[in-house]
Amino acid sequence: MKKCALWMVVLAFLCGSATMIYAAEEATLPSEVPVKGMVTMLDLGATKCIPCKMMAPIIEELKEEYKGKAAILFIDVWEHRDEAPKYSIRAIPTQIFYAKNGEEAYRHEGFMDKASIVAELAKLEWSER
C-alpha cells in the first residue's frame, strides 16, 4: 500500500510539472474550432484534473508531430466555463475529432492514449483522400 501511495505521489508530481507548461501555453482559447480545411482534434479538459494531466504531454507531442497536417487543440473548461456547453460535453477529458469539412467524426470521453488518438487522426486523413 505504501509503494502504491509513493508511486501516486511521483506520478502526480511528474504530471503536474508537465501540466504547468501545458497550462501556460494553453491559457487562451483557440481562435477557430474546428480549423477550416484541416483535420482537427479538440481536447476539452482542465489542467487540474488527473486524467487531463496525464494527457497533457501526449497533446504536446501530437501538436509537434502533426504541425501543418492536423490541428491539435485544447480548451480548459474549468477556466473557460462557457465553452463546455458549446460542445455538449458530459465528462472531462473529452476528445472531439473533426473531418476537414468541419463535421464531427468521432467523440471520446475519458483518458485517450496516444496510439488511439493517432489511429483516429489516421482514419480521418485517409477518409479525406
Side-chain angles (χ1 to χ4, degrees), residues 3 36 42 79 102 128:
K3 280 186 179 181
K36 188 175 184 176
L42 174 62
E79 188 175 316
E128 299 291 327

Side-chain angles (χ1 to χ4, degrees), residues 29-43:
L29 289 171
S31 59
E32 182 182 22
V33 179
V35 175
K36 188 175 184 176
M38 187 174 274
V39 170
T40 303
M41 188 209 84
L42 174 62
D43 182 35

Side-chain angles (χ1 to χ4, degrees), residues 2-98:
K2 287 182 182 180
K3 280 186 179 181
C4 181
L6 177 62
W7 279 111
M8 289 178 68
V9 169
V10 170
L11 181 63
F13 174 76
L14 292 174
C15 291
S17 60
T19 302
M20 290 186 332
I21 295 166
Y22 182 60
E25 292 177 0
E26 297 302 331
T28 59
L29 289 171
S31 59
E32 182 182 22
V33 179
V35 175
K36 188 175 184 176
M38 187 174 274
V39 170
T40 303
M41 188 209 84
L42 174 62
D43 182 35
L44 295 142
T47 57
K48 295 179 181 164
C49 107
I50 300 299
C52 304
K53 285 182 180 185
M54 293 168 54
M55 286 195 63
I58 295 169
I59 299 301
E60 289 305 309
E61 286 175 25
L62 291 170
K63 278 184 178 183
E64 288 302 313
E65 291 173 20
Y66 281 85
K67 192 175 257 178
K69 297 184 269 183
I72 310 297
L73 309 173
F74 172 77
I75 296 176
D76 185 324
V77 296
W78 287 357
E79 188 175 316
H80 303 282
R81 294 192 181 274
D82 57 328
E83 293 297 307
K86 290 181 185 178
Y87 300 98
S88 303
I89 63 169
R90 300 178 300 177
I92 59 171
T94 293
Q95 301 79 37
I96 305 173
F97 294 80
Y98 297 92

